[in-house]
Amino acid sequence: MPEQHIVLRHRAIPHLDRLDVYVANGGYVQLKRAVTSMTPAEVIDLVKQSGLRGRGGAGFPTGLKWSFVPAGIDKPRYVVVNNDESEPGTFKDHEITLSNPHQFIEGAAIAAYAIGARDVYIYSRGEFWDEMVHLKACIAEARAAGHLGQNLFGTDYGVEVHVTPGAGAYICGEETALLNSLEGELGQPRLKPPFPAVAGLYACPTVVNNTETLANVPQIMERGPEWYKAIGTEKSPGTKIISVSGHVARPGNYEVPLGTPFAEVLALAGGVWQGRAMKALLPAGASAPVIPAETAMGMNCDWESVAATGSILGSASFIVLDETTDMAWVAYKTVRFFQHESCGKCSPCREGTFWMKKILTRVVHGEATAADIPLLGDVVRQIDSKCFCPLGEFALSAPRSTLAQFEGDYLGHVGAPRP
Amino acid sequence: MATNGSAPKLVNVMIDGRPAAVGAGTNVVDAAHAAGVEIPIFCHHPKLVPVGMCRMCLVEVGTPGVDPATKAPILDDEGAPVIKYFPKLMAGCTTVVSEGMHVRTGTPAVAEAREAVLEFLLTSHPLDCPVCDKGGECPLQNLTMRYGPGRSRFVWGEKFHYPKPVPVGPLIALDRERCVLCARCIRFEDEIADDQVLGFENRGRGMEIVSFSDPPLDSVFSGNTTDVCPVGALTTADFRFESRVWELESRPAVCPHCAVGCNIGYDTRHGRVLRVMPREHDAVNEIWLCDKGRFGHGFTTAEGRLTHPLVRDISGALVATTWDDALTRVAEALKRTVAEGGPAAVGGVAGATLTNEDAYAFGRFLRAVVGTNNVDHRPKVIADDSVHRFGAGADTIVHALGAGHAIVVVGLDAEAEAPVLFLSLNKARRQGAALITLSTAPQKLDRHASHLRAVPGSEATLLAALVRAALEAEYEPVDGASVPSGALPNAAVPNAAVPSAAARVLADRLADHGPAAVHGVHPVDPDAVAQAGKALASAGGVLWIYGRSAVDAGLVPLMAAYAAATGQHGRAGTGLVAVGRHANAQGVADMGLTPDRLPGHARVDDAAARERLADVWPSLPSSEPGLDAGAMLAGGVQALYVLGTDPVGDDPALDLRANGVRTLIVQDLYLTPTAAQADIVLPAQSAAERDGTFTSLLRRVQRTYAAVDPVGHARADWKVLRDLAARYGDAESFAAPSDVFDEIARAVPAYAGLSYAALGPAIRTAPTDIFLPFAPLTEARSVSYIGTRYENRHGIGAAWLTPAEATYAAGDTAAHEAVAADGGEDAFAGYAVAADDALHAAAGDDLVLIPTAILFDAGRLVASSTVLHPLVPRPFVAFSPFDALQRGLVEGGRVRVTGAGGTFEAEVVVQDGVTPGTALAPESLGIAVRAAVGGERAGRVRVEVVAAGPIERGASPTPAPRPSSSPSTTATVTPGQI
């Protein structure tokens, strides 16, 4: 199955990041159509019909999320674009921001209209510094051309789009921590409920959507929900950008219909490098349990199929690991990442990741004893299901799955006989 | 709780098989506590908003199952609901109860989770319990004992280390290795104290508590952070490494520093007070204490204290003598004076820090034994019977007020004058009470209040405008429909009198003084006054809390008139509250230490009172009022007895000898400037050395107990006065303070029925930590089950009822109406709606100087604390940025301020919020601020620049020197002579 570019349209249309090129290719027509000829409820219905699901990781139905914004609250509403893209191995939003920015800006403006928001905040990964300069220029250009701003298309409706940099914290990709950060507070997750749809940014109703999710919206509007639903699988319609990295010949973003077999995605990326065999796959960056090669090769790439292997599709950042990879080292690398990124709010994550890092450091440096391996398992179990937010649970994915499936890699480090 | 609001809806839950009915919105931890089940916690605190950070409170939670198709409850074979448990453990602190919820805390999953969380918290803990001040009263220790793992699997050498400890503020040390990052300290300062001074820095395991204020931890409530800290991370400067806590003996007491009446414990070892801790009192201080109360215990040491009675020797020096000799000399001197000039030649002035027993004994001695009405106290905030007649309901709990209540704070800087009252006001505000402040100076409470700024001298017109606006709003036709005659909105409140006639009379009287009249006079928008008036009108209860500035400005009569005329007094959350600057300001007034009032606020010529006292006292004084303190100090008497107050210290220019006082007797803790002028000096006992009772600003009579032995030969005041009376042949022989109190209960009607036995102690009723006094006077309960130590086993005291309140309670409608009509009239008669043009700053270059209160003043009570003393600022005057610019005044520069009554020099502070044309100068910083303005509440002054810029730029502020530890050079104390 070949790639299908709904979001990565710039691959076929050069200079799509330029407003004139974007407009020449149907840009901002759908925003105008929504604002001038559709009610917000109609827009939400259309997105619901398409079956679009969130691309940030959880795969929550986008139209449903928009419909959660309660009516009759006399407060401003906000759309926040989660452009924080911090998951290791994920680089899809970066490409969208650089090469096809207007499409997600238009999608965000349509979302704003649908929920009655007049402000959109794009919370962008702090390292995307030059990209944000570019993004702001694009927004200013679109606004000057009358595609954004007040009295849009001659109506009373208006929407402003703002860009805010993050400050380099993984946790700020979690939507409530993102909102805290956006407000200038410490980047720590909030207690839910209330959910952002009811009390989000500045305690006002807020929809937080991923960049890729919103970039789908103008195309869904243009071609219709039926067209979109026909792509992908029944439960996972549409395409998904898969960021493939690791031990492959051609790492990069590949936009494929959901449900595409993993083997085809691997083939698109040129297969495992240096003619080696694959050992395992990290399907969602550092956050997902590893999938052994044989399981991965029989797996399709959609939420349901990946979940059936015991892992998660998440944001679909596929890190391919070849046969030479030490899986204890993989656990060490991911745990080190999560320890560094733990916000410190809840004790199991704060102290547990610190402890796991200490143990795994000893393991990979050959300083561990055989007793450290079951201890690591105990610490994993002690953290399990006790954390305030999902980050702490994500930190367990790699050590737990590697201990279960590649225990030999650990035992090799402590000099114990392999089973 | 004796509440000021309606009871919340109850929700039935089952915790480990124990049923409990708790208020809707209660979280699972608090509900379990109510059911007698402990759920261990670190980050949760019953006084703070839950955050769910530590994960110690994970429990199994289930709710009654519901059939998804029919929505009907799923029942088992016996018809009981089937409980569906959540698959994951839930954090109890952030899970709110719902009807029929079941909670299991004793399952293996919960036990494993607790052990896991504790093991995590201990991974980086230094385990230095043997040298930790918290050891022995540490929740981390206790919970580890109960729920933790028995061994440590974390490699010791991999622990996270920090330099320790670091000062996080001047009074608090932080040990980051012990910190479990629960944020209780941050949340206390933010939510309770409204001080945004603490926060987290960094993240993950590197996260630490930091103060981002300048100066650091800039809060007068910082000590409470050490109480709420569940580990040894925060410790106090005064107690570090002083003692193991189990070696302390804790003695219950009432804080002597201000009128709130916070319940404290003096923790002593080997007869020394090592620290002061709060005791829980849910109607007074909850579990809080200000830093003055906590750290200001230096007066309990012997340093600088008088140890013997002193008399003048032949050379005029003060020398030590025996009590017998000193008292004989006092009696002889007073008798001689009476023989020459009659009883009116003798007078007495007391401070407002005396216990009720001491104050009563003082008044009794002077009136019933010597026979003079020259009795007064200073500073005097309760100068009339307004509180006695229109006081707040005895069951008023300020921090229980919320939506539907309005609180007007008049002429009071609550944070400086009664800090824990500030916390209560802040809590009431958070709970939805409308807060209005009316004052001439800015204060922290203004942040969240409708602030009405008055021009000094014309406060009366602004208060009149507020009252007029309130009455106007109450009668204004709403949407065309006039409010039915006789039905104020307050009629909805149970027991509310509905005295529309009296209120209409008052409204008419103020017809020309409505909000429009403040335009151009006060720096406040007339609309803001009208809005504040509406808030009063629409409130179910209006509470007036006022301080000395309001009394000096003559504002009390109108507040009283409003309370009387609208029936807004004598019920919870309504009426007047006077806030004196000393611990027993209310009590000394109750005891009759005013020249025109007998004990119980009766006029000296009141026949009923005289009849009552005739049965109690050996003789009665004349029915003519005596001289007030000012007149006595000005030489109105020949023999003056000064007890526990220092008029010369407040006004160094005061020369009592030159004024004509021939015999001066001073009884005090220290050789004060007043004592230095005395003929006879008697050593008094400090608050930590005596038994007695204090009456709080909400009229709660509370017992305080001796914690340490008296210093030297210091004696209780009531004993000294008893022994003096004996030298007059008085047969009354009080053996203990309880005997004095029993006589008070006979002499003061409001205290009738009270006794030491009735005021305490309390018993503990296991297992819910609810404390009940033997004789329930008002309800008390405990909601604080984690912290250093809050237990209150010593009674909660009793607040006395105003006479009107008693008639309200009896449902005597006619009596209310009479109170409304007569009371409103009487009270208003004392009010002058006048502007004092002389004080308006418009003319010339003069400014109006306003003496203000400051918490950490240079007074002996603060100065005697080694940790508080450095926090006393150098004397300063605060100017508005406008005036500073106009006059070229620079922060840190120096000015000379000259008023009608004197001159002083002080440092320049430029402060936002100061009204242009005025300047603020804190009293009691060692300069005679109030004397400079002629003893008034404000006065015109000339300001001259002495030094334009900061004198010692970059140098750390050096506070006024501590008073030397030995008595001043005018005295030679030679105890060896005894």
Side-chain angles (χ1 to χ4, degrees), chain A residues 168-169 186 188 191 340-348 350-351 354-355 358 362 378 382-383 386-388, chain B residues 51-55 58 94 113 116 119-121 123 153-155 158 160 180-181 200 203-205 207:
Chain A
L186 205 58
Q188 293 191 335
L191 201 61
H340 184 257
E341 294 295 342
S342 171
C343 79
K345 180 163 185 165
C346 74
S347 27
R350 179 184 69 233
E351 309 291 345
F354 181 70
W355 195 356
K358 291 288 184 189
R362 293 203 300 271
D378 278 356
Q382 286 184 201
I383 300 173
K386 295 180 191 68
C387 298
F388 186 91
Chain B
V51 286
M53 291 166 69
C54 74
R55 317 308 283 175
L58 293 170
T94 53
E119 187 173 19
F120 284 142
L121 290 177
T123 52
R153 294 182 292 174
F154 193 85
V155 176
E158 294 186 344
F160 208 84
V180 294
L181 301 167
F200 281 130
R203 71 179 180 213
R205 184 52 257 181
M207 194 158 75

Side-chain angles (χ1 to χ4, degrees), chain B residues 48-363:
Chain B
L48 302 172
V49 177
V51 286
M53 291 166 69
C54 74
R55 317 308 283 175
M56 189 63 204
C57 62
L58 293 170
V59 288
E60 292 188 26
V61 175
T63 51
V66 175
D67 188 316
T70 62
K71 306 282 181 205
I74 304 171
L75 303 177
D76 65 12
D77 296 342
E78 290 167 8
V82 172
I83 303 302
K84 300 272 188 195
Y85 283 87
F86 290 100
K88 284 169 62 172
L89 298 178
M90 305 287 282
C93 69
T94 53
T95 304
V96 171
V97 293
S98 61
E99 185 61 35
M101 179 182 277
H102 280 232
V103 176
R104 292 193 295 222
T105 76
T107 62
V110 172
E112 281 171 28
R114 289 173 178 174
E115 192 172 307
V117 171
L118 273 165
E119 187 173 19
F120 284 142
L121 290 177
L122 293 171
T123 52
S124 291
H125 191 83
L127 303 176
D128 55 353
C129 304
V131 293
C132 176
D133 288 320
K134 199 80 164 188
E137 55 180 13
C138 174
L140 181 60
Q141 273 188 334
N142 296 343
L143 296 181
T144 301
M145 284 293 291
R146 265 176 264 170
Y147 306 111
R151 66 210 161 81
S152 177
R153 294 182 292 174
F154 193 85
V155 176
W156 179 265
E158 294 186 344
K159 281 188 187 279
F160 208 84
H161 288 295
Y162 283 110
K164 58 193 261 180
V166 290
V168 69
L171 301 170
I172 308 296
L174 168 66
D175 185 322
R176 290 164 291 178
E177 295 181 350
R178 295 177 189 155
C179 179
V180 294
L181 301 167
C182 68
R184 279 186 179 182
C185 51
I186 299 174
R187 289 145 60 210
F188 165 80
E189 289 292 354
D190 186 24
E191 296 169 22
I192 308 289
D194 195 23
D195 285 324
Q196 287 72 37
V197 294
L198 289 177
F200 281 130
E201 199 170 77
N202 298 330
R203 71 179 180 213
R205 184 52 257 181
M207 194 158 75
E208 56 183 281
I209 302 285
V210 291
S211 175
F212 47 82
S213 63
D214 181 21
L217 194 37
D218 187 14
S219 170
V220 299
F221 304 102
S222 68
N224 294 298
T225 61
T226 65
D227 289 343
V228 297
C229 181
V231 296
L234 296 174
T235 48
T236 56
D238 64 336
F239 186 64
R240 278 179 65 75
F241 307 127
E242 282 291 327
S243 173
R244 304 310 300 175
V245 295
W246 54 85
E247 292 176 332
L248 295 173
E249 192 184 345
S250 187
R251 297 290 291 170
V254 173
C255 180
H257 284 291
C258 84
V260 172
C262 290
N263 285 213
I264 59 168
Y266 287 113
D267 285 2
T268 67
R269 185 173 175 222
H270 299 161
R272 270 177 62 218
V273 174
L274 294 182
R275 66 172 182 180
V276 173
M277 296 293 285
R279 275 186 306 141
E280 176 172 18
H281 194 316
D282 210 38
V284 181
N285 54 309
E286 298 189 85
I287 53 173
W288 312 127
L289 208 54
C290 75
D291 287 349
K292 190 172 182 175
R294 185 185 301 266
F295 297 104
H297 55 79
F299 65 85
T300 62
T301 66
E303 192 180 327
R305 287 275 302 277
L306 291 168
T307 54
H308 294 82
L310 307 175
V311 293
R312 297 278 169 192
D313 69 7
I314 196 147
S315 71
L318 283 169
V319 293
T321 184
T322 62
W323 272 105
D324 188 52
D325 177 49
L327 292 183
T328 302
R329 290 185 193 219
V330 171
E332 278 171 4
L334 294 180
K335 282 177 180 169
R336 196 165 55 237
T337 308
V338 171
E340 289 167 7
V346 174
V349 178
T353 53
L354 302 183
T355 62
N356 286 323
E357 291 73 7
D358 295 338
Y360 176 80
F362 189 58

Side-chain angles (χ1 to χ4, degrees), chain A residues 125-291:
Chain A
R125 183 182 170 117
E127 290 86 343
F128 291 176
W129 192 257
D130 294 337
E131 293 82 344
M132 278 186 279
V133 172
H134 175 61
L135 194 55
K136 284 178 186 171
C138 290
I139 292 164
E141 208 182 349
R143 193 178 190 281
H147 302 307
L148 299 170
Q150 300 307 307
N151 297 108
L152 212 46
F153 312 116
T155 66
D156 289 342
Y157 181 71
V159 61
E160 302 291 349
V161 181
H162 316 271
V163 181
T164 309
Y170 173 78
I171 187 63
C172 291
E174 194 280 336
E175 61 179 2
T176 58
L178 186 158
L179 294 173
N180 267 354
S181 173
L182 201 50
E183 290 180 13
E185 301 282 330
L186 205 58
Q188 293 191 335
R190 297 177 181 174
L191 201 61
K192 291 191 271 193
F195 292 93
V198 178
L201 186 62
Y202 305 118
C204 295
T206 303
V207 162
V208 184
N209 279 145
N210 175 254
T211 305
E212 183 189 353
T213 312
L214 293 169
N216 274 288
V217 172
Q219 287 290 302
I220 291 170
M221 299 262 304
E222 183 179 318
R223 306 203 199 184
E226 294 308 320
W227 163 79
Y228 192 77
K229 264 168 75 172
I231 305 165
T233 70
E234 190 192 342
K235 289 183 173 170
S236 298
T239 58
K240 178 82 191 79
I241 303 174
I242 297 177
S243 304
V244 187
S245 64
H247 301 150
V248 291
R250 286 194 304 276
N253 286 321
Y254 297 92
E255 184 174 7
V256 295
L258 280 155
T260 300
F262 168 73
E264 289 186 26
V265 176
L266 184 60
L268 284 170
V272 181
W273 71 350
Q274 298 178 8
R276 291 185 192 160
M278 179 173 153
K279 186 170 188 177
L281 171 70
L282 285 166
S287 303
V290 297
I291 305 174

